[in-house]
Amino acid sequence: MMTTSFRPLPKAIATVCLSGSLPEKLQAAAAVGFDGVEIFENDLLTFDGSPADVRSICDGLGLAIPLYQP
């Protein structure tokens, strides 16, 4: 008998779907169990920090960034 194991697909949400500042959006996504966030360009452009800062916040929250939405 052949056994197949499946890994659950990671769950991500686009930051454009959330309200608040980018750090608030990232915290909210992590708090409800998302694995990653798709960063909307306007969120990145209006964030008072660098893309490396966003990466650091996501790392601290355990979030991946699978997509950038220009």
Side-chain angles (χ1 to χ4, degrees), residues 22-23 26 39 43-44 47-61 63 65:
L22 182 55
L26 299 175
I39 304 289
D43 286 324
L44 186 60
F47 175 64
D48 188 26
S50 70
D53 294 334
V54 175
R55 168 81 279 158
S56 179
I57 294 168
C58 287
D59 286 345
L61 294 170
L63 293 170
I65 304 174

Side-chain angles (χ1 to χ4, degrees), residues 12-23 25-26 29 36-51 54 58 64-70:
I13 188 167
T15 60
V16 71
C17 297
L18 302 169
S19 63
S21 67
L22 182 55
K25 292 177 180 195
L26 299 175
V37 288
E38 299 173 356
I39 304 289
F40 180 57
E41 180 178 37
N42 194 52
D43 286 324
L44 186 60
L45 294 176
T46 59
F47 175 64
D48 188 26
S50 70
V54 175
C58 287
I65 304 174
L67 186 72
Y68 173 70
Q69 296 181 335

